[in-house]
Amino acid sequence: MTTIKNIVVAGGTHGNERTGVALVQKWMENPGCYNTLCPSANVQLVYGNPEAMRLNRRYRDHDLNRAFSQVCLDSTADVDQYEFRRARELNKLFGPKGANTKTDLLLDVHNTGSNMGLCLILSARDPFTMKASAVLTQEFEDTWIYYQPEERSVSPYFGTVAKADVCIEIGPQQHGTLNASIFERSEKLVQRYLELTEEWNRGQLQTRAPIKVDVYTQLRDLGYPKAWAGAPIAAMIHPDLDGHDYCELKKGDKLFRTFDGKDILYEGEADGSTSVWPIFINEPAYYEKDIAMSLTVKTEEMW
Ligand SMILES: [Zn+2]
């Protein structure tokens, strides 16, 4: 990426993930919190889903952060669903998604109920977001890099209307609530992204020495055990695993526990690999999506 001219900072893409909502609210009322950090770029603030924020719910009719694939944006169906209309509106304001988008960088602030610290989700191997995120893993405790590669036009996430994006997932925080220390750390993190953008635009960030990072790359989502597809869930996250995001899970380790106390073990992957690193363990918003956790593979890289 060359110069970053237009940046969008978003909160409330999920209406009950209140760190981003509070951050955008505070910055709208106090522009001094952000408008001097990256003088070489234009920084805009936006509430992703105001209607869901009002309801203090993730969404009203449909998950907004699953409505930004090109197919969804082009569709003329679903006009009665608020979030599909809102996605098209946001795409018009900050996109259009694709090579001619107005937005160079989108920072979308989310929360998770999982024990994921400051999780920086990269959807592409973009040189700025890689370098800046690597720097932030050195500056902030409990900061992690999750790489979720996806073809951009197919990806349903808001961030993908921009040329580059970071989805910042902060937890553990109960949805619908705020946590002061999480808020303060998140604000500092987003402010640092803006300062590092300024460093990038001056050509300085690029010259920093490579940084060793652990990269957690999406492998697959894992659903809850069920008697048949569509049945109610038949087991819970195992207590030995709950809260242990980013920890290695080996074949034979405890994965779920049934309601009558039986352990269900991890059996390894179909390709014969025997270790994964689960994240989003027990995320409350994913019960409806039948995701018990996301399985990743950990690698060490120089960024
Ligand atoms: Zn979210």
Side-chain angles (χ1 to χ4, degrees), residues 13-14 16-17 58 65 109-112 167 169 175 286:
T13 299
H14 292 131
N16 59 357
E17 297 178 7
R58 184 176 176 87
N65 214 29
V109 182
H110 289 252
N111 291 115
T112 171
C167 179
E169 276 284 357
H175 293 314
Y286 291 170

Side-chain angles (χ1 to χ4, degrees), residues 5-138:
K5 294 195 190 89
N6 292 301
I7 305 173
V8 173
V9 176
T13 299
H14 292 131
N16 59 357
E17 297 178 7
R18 303 206 69 88
T19 299
V21 174
L23 179 75
V24 169
Q25 180 192 327
K26 177 182 171 182
W27 287 14
M28 282 179 171
E29 290 165 3
N30 306 277
C33 294
Y34 71 96
N35 66 5
T36 58
L37 304 178
C38 186
S40 59
N42 169 44
V43 182
Q44 284 177 277
L45 309 175
V46 68
Y47 292 126
N49 193 333
E51 179 65 7
M53 283 162 45
R54 188 180 65 77
L55 298 166
N56 201 17
R57 286 199 334 228
R58 184 176 176 87
Y59 57 83
R60 193 182 85 179
D61 302 323
H62 179 89
D63 192 333
L64 177 65
N65 214 29
R66 301 293 183 275
F68 288 91
S69 71
Q70 198 61 56
V71 171
C72 278
L73 294 172
D74 291 343
S75 170
T76 49
D78 313 311
V79 280
D80 54 329
Q81 302 210 1
Y82 169 75
E83 278 82 6
F84 287 107
R85 292 199 308 272
R86 181 65 179 151
R88 283 164 212 148
E89 212 169 86
L90 290 168
N91 185 51
K92 208 168 173 185
L93 282 170
F94 303 114
K97 183 165 175 157
N100 297 321
T101 177
K102 293 186 270 297
T103 304
D104 298 307
L105 175 66
L106 198 153
L107 303 171
D108 197 12
V109 182
H110 289 252
N111 291 115
T112 171
S114 304
N115 186 22
M116 284 173 61
L118 295 168
C119 181
L120 313 176
I121 308 180
L122 306 193
S123 60
R125 288 192 168 259
D126 160 76
F128 167 76
T129 56
M130 288 168 77
K131 193 72 183 179
S133 303
V135 169
L136 295 177
T137 63
Q138 295 185 312

